[in-house]
Amino acid sequence: MVRLNINGREQEVDVDSETPLLWVLRDTLGLTGTKYGCGIAQCGACTVHLEGNAVRSCMLAAGAVEGKKIVTIEGLSPDGSHPVQRAWLEAEVPQCGYCQIGMMMAAAALLRGRPKPSDAEIDEAITNICRCGTYIRIREAIHLAASKA
Amino acid sequence: MTHISSPAFSRRFFLVSSAAAGGGLMLGLALPGLAGAAEGEGGAAGAKVNNWIIIQPDNTIIIRIARSEMGQGSFTALPMLVCEELECDWSKVKGEYASATENLDNSFGSMATGGSRAIRESQEMLRKAGASAREMLLAAAAQKWGVPRSELKAENSVITHIPTGRTMTYGEIAEAAAKLPPPAEVTLKDPKDWKLVGKAQPRFDIADKVMGRPVYGIDVRIPGMLYAALAQCPVFGGTLASYDEAKIATMPGFRQVVPMGDAVAVVADSFWQAHQALATLPIVWNEGANAKLDDDAIWAMLREGLAANDALVAEKSGDAKAALAGAAKVVEAEYRAPFLAHATMEPMNCTAQVAGGKVEVWAPSQNAEATLAVAAKAAGVDRKQVEVHITMLGGGFGRRGAVQDFVRQAVVIAKAAGKPVKLLWSREEDMRHDFYRPVSMAKFSAGLDAAGMPVSWMARVTGQSILAALRPEAIKNGLDRNFLEGIAEIPYEFPNFFVDYAMRNTPVPVGFWRSVNNSQNAFYKESFLDEVAHAGGRDPYELRRALLKNHPKQLAVLDAAAKQAGWGTPLPQGVFRGIAYHDSYGSLVCGVAELSVSDKGVIKLHRIVCALDSGYVVNPDTVVTQVEGAIVYGLTAALYDKITIRNGRVEQSNFDDYPMLRLKAMPKIDVVQVPSGGFWGGVGEVGLPPVAPAICNALFAATGKRIRSLPLSDHGFTTA
């Protein structure tokens, strides 16, 4: 049993405490917005917020995040109204969309700490992989979200 | 939680979950952004005016889509073509996948989504379907009102009787229209009269994607579903010898082991449990004949192919050999390009259920028909007993089309398990068991006259044929025309021209990778042409202009790229340009790269310009994003990646040793569209081929070093 606080809700989850948070979210809790891409914290498709910071959930044991506040894309906003989501929609960022959840979670965490990030700060913070090649619009949408916040 | 439970339910398995704050995943019945279509036997409720078009009483128009959405905008662009002729209200259009089972009679045409073909190959059929339905609606309205058809007009889903101003909506007359015979012939609009096609429309799938709602293959959940992890023999062609199930039998969640000839799957209650049990399972492989295969042997075979006597002539004009012998100057060079993996962000996966002689599969597939055929064969049932649900795809790039190994495996595992099973490959399996872009090499000889103009152009290409492995029936007279794409038939006019080809196949599985052989052939041809330009003392852009002088459309694209890039104008100190021109998939394309490079070999990409003429354009913003995406795919390949073989197996395994371009290294991209109309060119792949040669030509300008093999990381170059 692991006690997790996900999207504002405390819950007991019947998993081995060594299970990576990613698989608890996806398979045990059905929160499939968070994606698997590499399993070695390289690609960022599994990015969630842990106490407001962007973390890669594929190598994070569930037992290690007990009692900490976890937010997934399903909890970022109830209706897609987070400035990052609105900016992503306006700039039509996603192509296949698979990596974009992690991208948006990383961007939302960046903007919490840096409400008006420079290009250089975006470069340093957004290290997720997009295979469709949407990087130009990701940068544009982060600036757009910064202007909306 | 709402469940998918039966084939009848899920004809329009759609792709949106409502995994809100807690609980399960709800699977509903419409395409992204298109929730709420009522269901009924044989498709949505409403009047089926023809195969492609269903009109509901509230004027909702459901347009069937036979090609997969993988981020390239098919769900939006294909309905636009129908809507243009149907004269319907675009704001009330919804898309819905055609069923592969329904298409066993080929009434929807090909469902293959590759080769930049979705629009090119279906535009006429779709526009005619729209026009035909429009005429049926008008004929039904004329009958109902008792007036001549000529007094009616159709616009925005409303039919108006011009003399009286009476109106009726499509929804009101659709049922009557559906009973009429389709017109024998229809006249399509003159493209200058298009109202929707050619005007940027927001994509249907974006709103759900920013919510994390689409159901990708990996997200499918079926009641009672188990999870499978897979290990395939690491050596190509090897087989499973034995495994020791007792060692994992008591692990948490373990259900069973499913042996499969060249692979073994572990089934468990969750993916992580399956993955852990598989990692613990002792497995012995028969490595077979390829156990010692390595890159040295592969490249030796290709080098032999460059000199071999068994090459077949692919293209010739004039007498290139004689012209070469008489040339004032001869330039020669050899080029090569490695195996490459597709590395879709969503690893291979498929969910399957085999019960009561029926098979149901949920797959992120680029080809629903191929999925259906593979599933039927794997389960040993008639194709009519299979239902395929195309989920959202987390990238395709050619990996999920012709080869459906993940579908075959999922069906075999589900059949053995007697329950629905979701098979998911690890990233490592995905990287090591791809169908790779094939290895190839090219050897060029060019003869220049005293003025530096090429009078003879000879190329020998050699390497592995995709068609030989996947579609041998498509090889004509020993030639794999795919292999020769963009190197045998090219728009440049050389007075004497000769290309021949020696097929050299390796045991490594190969497949269609974004832009297929255009990706290597453009690198070879355009890099060598740059060598010829420099050897002849000619400007690389001006030389291309001279070679294309009789091709006004190509010239216009070349000039558009050069103009946007400011070719010939000064650049900031340390910044250099390279140019490359390459037609593919019916489109005309030119790229210009601008970069600087430090004395330690750190490349900074400043800008990529890409000009293209794709003939007619359906959704212009999608063209921009497809070109941008193809450029990034090409940059990653040119800069960083190769798949290498040692002891019969792939050495790379994940994004740490097969890196991807990231935001920090991303250049500015200028896409310049110069659509001239009159033809339908593809756009999904065409931005890629010019990338590697444009960069390498710019690097030559910067450093004087000529790059003749990829990736650039092999030559000591990195990015910041």
Side-chain angles (χ1 to χ4, degrees):
Chain A
M1 278 293 181
V2 178
R3 189 161 186 83
L4 296 175
N5 180 330
I6 296 168
N7 298 330
R9 201 172 125 202
E10 285 271 347
Q11 49 197 312
E12 293 274 339
V13 186
D14 185 13
V15 293
D16 184 281
S17 63
E18 292 299 311
T19 308
L21 178 61
L22 169 66
W23 299 108
V24 177
L25 294 171
R26 289 184 52 79
D27 290 354
T28 313
L29 301 174
L31 296 170
T32 54
T34 306
K35 302 301 188 221
Y36 164 69
C38 68
I40 58 169
Q42 276 281 321
C43 77
C46 65
T47 303
V48 298
H49 292 175
L50 182 67
E51 298 292 343
N53 298 312
V55 295
R56 292 179 176 172
S57 63
C58 68
M59 292 187 84
L60 198 57
V65 296
E66 279 195 283
K68 294 185 177 156
K69 284 185 187 145
I70 297 155
V71 174
T72 69
I73 185 71
E74 292 87 354
L76 187 65
S77 75
D79 52 3
S81 62
H82 188 284
V84 164
Q85 289 171 302
R86 286 191 286 136
W88 246 248
L89 179 63
E90 189 176 330
E92 287 209 31
V93 177
Q95 289 187 30
C96 90
Y98 191 83
C99 76
Q100 299 295 343
I101 306 309
M103 289 286 185
M104 287 188 288
M105 296 307 284
L110 166 67
L111 290 170
R112 257 173 66 105
R114 288 269 171 197
K116 304 278 178 203
S118 66
D119 279 346
E121 286 167 336
I122 293 172
D123 283 347
E124 290 307 317
I126 308 298
T127 58
N128 297 17
I129 293 171
C130 171
R131 189 64 163 141
C132 293
T134 63
Y135 296 116
I136 286 175
R137 291 191 179 200
I138 287 169
R139 185 192 303 285
E140 177 190 329
I142 291 172
H143 287 307
L144 194 58
S147 73
K148 285 177 188 296
Chain B
M1 189 193 280
T2 306
H3 298 309
I4 292 176
S5 56
S6 72
F9 168 93
S10 44
R11 155 77 49 82
R12 279 157 292 116
F13 168 73
F14 76 113
L15 310 172
V16 178
S17 77
S18 70
L25 184 69
M26 191 174 74
L27 299 174
L29 276 180
L31 293 181
L34 313 173
E39 59 182 297
E41 196 56 42
K48 185 174 164 186
V49 184
N50 61 36
N51 244 357
W52 299 96
I53 299 161
I54 296 160
I55 301 179
Q56 297 182 324
D58 69 352
N59 291 309
T60 300
I61 312 268
I62 294 169
I63 295 177
R64 313 291 297 282
I65 297 164
R67 314 279 178 153
S68 300
E69 174 65 59
M70 45 193 178
Q72 87 286 31
S74 288
F75 277 1
T76 312
L78 295 175
M80 283 171 73
L81 288 158
V82 177
C83 184
E84 181 66 56
E85 294 288 344
L86 181 57
E87 298 287 0
C88 67
D89 179 354
W90 176 246
S91 71
K92 299 201 77 175
V93 167
K94 298 178 175 184
E96 173 189 302
Y97 271 134
S99 144
T101 317
E102 204 181 334
N103 196 38
L104 283 170
D105 63 1
N106 202 37
S107 52
F108 289 94
S110 171
M111 303 181 93
T113 314
S116 300
R117 281 188 306 242
I119 286 173
R120 288 194 288 155
E121 279 192 359
S122 45
Q123 51 81 19
E124 188 178 351
M125 183 163 55
L126 294 177
R127 289 190 295 144
K128 283 183 172 169
S132 174
R134 180 195 67 225
E135 288 307 314
M136 290 161 74
L137 290 158
L138 285 164
Q143 268 181 22
K144 185 166 182 188
W145 280 334
V147 299
R149 152 74 181 87
S150 59
E151 292 181 359
L152 302 182
K153 69 166 185 178
E155 195 169 19
N156 220 27
S157 295
V158 175
I159 296 169
T160 303
H161 182 231
I162 300 164
T164 62
R166 274 184 297 178
T167 62
M168 83 171 74
T169 66
Y170 281 8
E172 292 172 81
I173 196 66
E175 208 165 306
K179 295 191 177 94
L180 297 179
E185 270 183 54
V186 290
T187 307
L188 296 177
K189 282 184 188 175
D190 187 318
K192 73 175 165 40
D193 297 327
W194 286 340
K195 293 182 283 196
L196 186 68
V197 170
K199 316 283 188 297
Q201 301 300 325
R203 269 173 39 209
F204 281 149
D205 51 333
I206 303 286
D208 287 320
K209 283 179 173 173
V210 306
M211 301 276 287
R213 294 178 69 214
V215 176
Y216 295 83
I218 194 175
D219 301 330
V220 169
R221 287 159 69 88
I222 311 294
M225 180 179 87
L226 300 174
Y227 295 78
L230 183 83
Q232 298 164 90
C233 181
V235 177
F236 296 117
T239 55
L240 178 65
S242 65
Y243 55 91
D244 185 358
E245 185 172 337
K247 291 280 197 298
I248 60 169
T250 60
M251 287 183 73
F254 171 76
R255 295 286 184 133
Q256 70 187 109
V257 176
V258 182
M260 283 183 287
D262 63 348
V264 58
V266 170
V267 181
D269 291 341
S270 76
F271 174 72
W272 186 249
Q273 289 170 334
H275 182 75
Q276 294 295 92
L278 179 67
T280 310
L281 180 69
I283 306 169
V284 179
W285 303 105
N286 289 318
E287 296 192 350
N290 301 321
K292 297 291 175 206
L293 181 71
D294 65 16
D295 264 25
D296 289 346
I298 289 169
W299 290 118
M301 178 167 72
L302 265 63
R303 267 188 218 100
E304 182 277 326
L306 283 185
N309 293 321
D310 64 343
L312 298 168
V313 177
E315 203 70 41
K316 64 182 287 192
S317 63
D319 188 341
K321 207 168 180 181
L324 191 71
K329 190 170 190 177
V330 171
V331 186
E332 292 184 312
E334 276 181 29
Y335 284 81
R336 70 184 164 101
F339 291 115
L340 287 173
H342 294 81
T344 59
M345 288 310 295
E346 180 190 22
M348 295 305 108
N349 68 82
C350 177
T351 302
Q353 179 167 20
V354 182
K358 292 183 184 294
V359 180
E360 209 170 350
V361 297
W362 294 262
S365 167
Q366 291 178 242
N367 187 340
E369 294 169 295
T371 304
L372 184 135
V374 166
K377 192 175 172 199
V381 302
D382 187 87
R383 292 183 186 197
K384 292 191 185 102
Q385 303 305 313
V386 181
E387 187 77 18
V388 172
H389 311 284
I390 299 299
T391 65
M392 196 60 82
L393 283 75
F397 315 119
R399 175 63 178 90
R400 297 184 145 113
V403 181
Q404 303 267 323
D405 44 346
F406 46 97
V407 173
R408 170 178 52 80
Q409 294 161 348
V411 170
V412 168
I413 298 165
K415 192 175 178 184
K419 290 190 172 208
V421 175
K422 174 157 71 186
L423 166 68
L424 171 60
W425 291 19
S426 67
R427 171 59 60 195
E428 289 78 8
E429 281 296 311
D430 190 280
M431 191 73 76
R432 289 174 168 166
H433 294 280
D434 200 344
F435 287 74
Y436 302 92
R437 184 186 80 167
V439 282
S440 76
M441 293 186 79
K443 181 178 182 176
F444 292 96
S445 307
L448 279 58
D449 65 17
M453 278 302 286
V455 292
S456 174
W457 177 278
M458 297 182 74
R460 159 70 60 89
V461 287
T462 187
Q464 188 163 1
S465 159
I466 299 168
L467 294 184
L470 301 183
R471 287 176 54 211
E473 73 281 2
I475 292 186
K476 301 278 187 274
N477 304 320
L479 288 175
D480 173 345
R481 279 281 157 194
N482 275 2
F483 193 92
L484 297 160
E485 280 175 319
I487 202 155
E489 289 178 52
I490 56 176
Y492 297 137
E493 289 184 18
F494 297 104
N496 300 283
F497 184 77
F498 183 90
V499 176
D500 64 358
Y501 165 47
M503 190 187 294
R504 289 294 181 271
N505 295 330
T506 84
V508 178
V510 291
F512 302 102
W513 185 95
R514 197 171 193 172
S515 82
V516 195
N517 284 90
N518 284 294
S519 68
Q520 307 100 320
N521 289 341
F523 166 58
Y524 306 155
K525 165 180 66 87
E526 291 298 303
S527 297
F528 185 66
L529 185 58
D530 205 66
E531 295 200 53
V532 167
H534 287 285
R538 290 180 170 263
D539 177 88
Y541 160 62
E542 293 295 343
L543 175 61
R544 285 171 174 81
R545 288 203 94 247
L547 294 170
L548 293 171
K549 63 176 190 254
N550 297 321
H551 299 270
K553 290 202 174 192
Q554 275 88 351
L555 262 186
V557 172
L558 180 71
D559 288 348
K563 185 179 172 202
Q564 179 70 22
W567 190 269
T569 63
L571 282 160
Q573 182 158 15
V575 181
F576 296 87
R577 293 190 188 98
I579 191 166
Y581 180 92
H582 192 83
D583 293 345
S584 61
Y585 305 100
S587 287
L588 322 178
V589 190
C590 183
V592 177
E594 289 172 8
L595 56 77
S596 52
V597 56
S598 78
D599 51 12
K600 291 198 170 66
V602 180
I603 295 171
K604 178 167 175 53
L605 300 166
H606 296 274
R607 179 167 70 147
I608 307 284
V609 171
C610 183
L612 80 158
D613 178 358
S614 56
Y616 295 118
V617 173
V618 179
N619 202 1
D621 190 54
T622 300
V623 176
V624 172
T625 55
Q626 282 300 291
V627 170
E628 287 176 354
I631 287 170
V632 174
Y633 212 84
L635 286 172
T636 289
L639 290 164
Y640 307 125
D641 287 332
K642 58 179 175 177
I643 290 290
T644 55
I645 309 296
R646 188 177 171 84
N647 293 329
R649 61 199 86 201
V650 166
E651 292 190 283
Q652 293 71 25
S653 66
N654 207 320
F655 295 126
D656 52 349
D657 53 17
Y658 193 83
M660 299 284 124
L661 185 88
R662 298 180 197 241
L663 185 60
K664 192 176 184 180
M666 187 67 204
K668 182 176 188 289
I669 293 180
D670 289 347
V671 178
V672 184
Q673 296 193 61
V674 286
S676 62
F679 64 97
W680 296 82
V683 299
E685 302 168 84
V686 303
L688 192 153
V691 170
I695 287 187
C696 292
N697 294 342
L699 270 177
F700 179 79
T703 66
K705 184 173 178 177
R706 178 59 64 184
I707 303 297
R708 299 193 183 92
S709 71
L710 295 175
L712 287 164
S713 55
D714 276 357
H715 303 276
F717 292 106
T718 59
T719 50

